[in-house]
């Protein structure tokens, strides 16, 4: 997470689902500072217009009292690694502070090592550490990794790139397996977004533009993370995909999430998807846990 600015609903509601499922949860910020979500989404006129509802505010307040968020890890520490974790979750948020994690080359480097392990057909590594327990009765399958993101959190993955090279024959083989593989050889993945061959959603442009133009007179460019005139989240993510069909857009208000068929990756659009996303991510993790990674 960034030190400040994530959406409280997109953070606390999935956290609540993970906690209820028995996940062993850790938070991480750049320097181990306790993260604080966007205050405008928690109070005042901005909260009443487009902010967190009462149940999300209660979930956020409860989350801030839990030890994991009060003592986060430092993702910039030389000893930090994502390997012990079998789920990564990136909440969203449009406040400009979230650029701390979206633009972080350190986070991108961690993801280039982690993301290939979410490939559904990837064999478990004998040297991989045992995944973090998700409950007292769980029997984990080694090598199972999962990633989920919502709203601007999807941009973190879109900005990170594949580390593959032709000198990695095992990766070459994995990339040509399964349904809808990328065209060409593994060397063509070098420098491409981690989401290049992934089906995903994120914040729809129609939602972002409505919030920006509807509040511009009194909030300025608050709803544009990279400032007025910058591209929308949808544009930023969709342009990094191999084909237009991989972008799964939906402008309705019913909860909507997308689970990729090739990678153990799930995405949501906005706070209205947070509860469903949390529940579905729990199911995805448990499916991998109980099904040997498939």
């Amino acid at each position: 997470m960034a030190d400040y600015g994530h959406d409280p609903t997109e953070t606390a509601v999935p956290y609540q689902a993970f906690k209820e499922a028995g996940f062993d949860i850790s938070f991480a910020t750049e320097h181990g500072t306790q993260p604080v979500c966007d205050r405008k989404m928690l109070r005042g006129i901005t909260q009443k217009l487009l902010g967190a509802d009462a149940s999300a505010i209660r979930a956020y307040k409860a989350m801030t009292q839990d030890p994991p968020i009060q003592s986060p890890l430092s993702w910039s520490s030389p000893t930090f690694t994502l390997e012990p974790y079998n789920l990564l979750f990136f909440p969203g948020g449009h406040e400009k502070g979230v650029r701390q994690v979206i633009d972080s080359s350190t986070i991108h480097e961690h993801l280039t090592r982690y993301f290939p392990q979410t490939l559904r057909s990837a064999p478990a590594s004998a040297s991989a550490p045992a995944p973090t327990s998700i409950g007292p009765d769980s029997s984990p399958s080694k090598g199972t990794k999962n990633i989920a993101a919502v709203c601007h959190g999807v941009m973190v993955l879109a900005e990170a790139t594949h580390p593959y090279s032709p000198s990695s024959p095992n990766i070459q083989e994995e990339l040509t397996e399964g349904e809808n593989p990328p065209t060409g050889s593994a060397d063509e993945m070098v420098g491409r977004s981690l989401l290049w061959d992934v089906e995903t959603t994120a914040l729809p442009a129609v939602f972002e533009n409505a919030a920006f133009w509807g509040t511009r007179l009194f909030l300025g460019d608050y709803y544009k993370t990279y400032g007025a005139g910058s591209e929308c989240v949808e544009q930023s993510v969709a342009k990094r995909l191999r084909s237009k069909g991989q972008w799964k857009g939906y402008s309705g208000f019913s909860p909507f999430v997308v689970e990729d068929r090739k990678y153990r990756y799930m995405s949501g659009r906005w706070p209205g998807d947070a509860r469903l996303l949390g529940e579905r991510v729990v199911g995805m993790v448990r499916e991998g846990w109980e099904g040997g990674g498939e």
Side-chain angles (χ1 to χ4, degrees), residues 219-240:
L219 291 178
D221 65 355
Y222 167 67
Y223 275 100
K224 296 293 288 185
T225 305
Y226 287 84
S230 61
E231 62 186 2
C232 295
V233 173
E234 178 178 335
Q235 295 169 320
S236 179
V237 173
K239 73 180 185 182
R240 289 171 169 80

Side-chain angles (χ1 to χ4, degrees), residues 7-15 89-93 150-152 269-271 274:
D7 184 89
T9 304
E10 294 171 356
T11 306
V13 172
Y15 171 82
F89 180 73
F90 290 92
V150 58
C151 196
H152 288 64
R269 305 166 301 159
W270 71 323

Side-chain angles (χ1 to χ4, degrees), residues 2 5 10 32 78 125 143 213 257 259 262:
E10 294 171 356
S125 170
W213 290 107
V257 299
E259 181 172 1
K262 184 175 180 180

Side-chain angles (χ1 to χ4, degrees), residues 5-132:
H6 286 287
D7 184 89
T9 304
E10 294 171 356
T11 306
V13 172
Y15 171 82
Q16 187 178 53
F18 302 156
K19 183 179 178 180
E20 290 173 355
F23 285 36
D24 183 2
I25 303 169
S26 296
F27 285 78
T29 56
E30 185 169 12
H31 302 295
T33 303
Q34 180 173 342
V36 176
C37 286
D38 186 356
R39 295 184 183 91
K40 283 188 171 67
M41 296 290 96
L42 293 165
R43 63 182 71 155
I45 186 64
T46 47
Q47 179 271 321
K48 297 183 184 303
L49 286 174
L50 295 168
D53 62 20
S55 63
I57 292 174
R58 287 194 298 271
Y60 177 71
K61 289 181 178 179
M63 181 184 72
T64 61
Q65 299 305 307
D66 283 354
I69 197 171
Q70 293 180 345
S71 301
L73 304 172
S74 167
W75 46 256
S76 64
S77 168
T79 60
F80 179 79
T81 176
L82 294 175
E83 283 304 314
Y85 302 97
N86 82 312
L87 168 66
L88 303 183
F89 180 73
F90 290 92
H94 50 266
E95 210 279 337
K96 292 174 177 54
V98 300
R99 289 159 56 171
Q100 181 182 16
V101 65
I102 294 173
D103 298 338
S104 171
S105 60
T106 302
I107 288 292
H108 299 164
E109 290 171 8
H110 284 302
L111 284 172
T112 60
R113 291 188 289 270
Y114 188 95
F115 191 80
Q117 299 178 67
T118 69
L119 189 68
R120 292 180 184 270
S121 60
S125 170
S127 62
T132 305

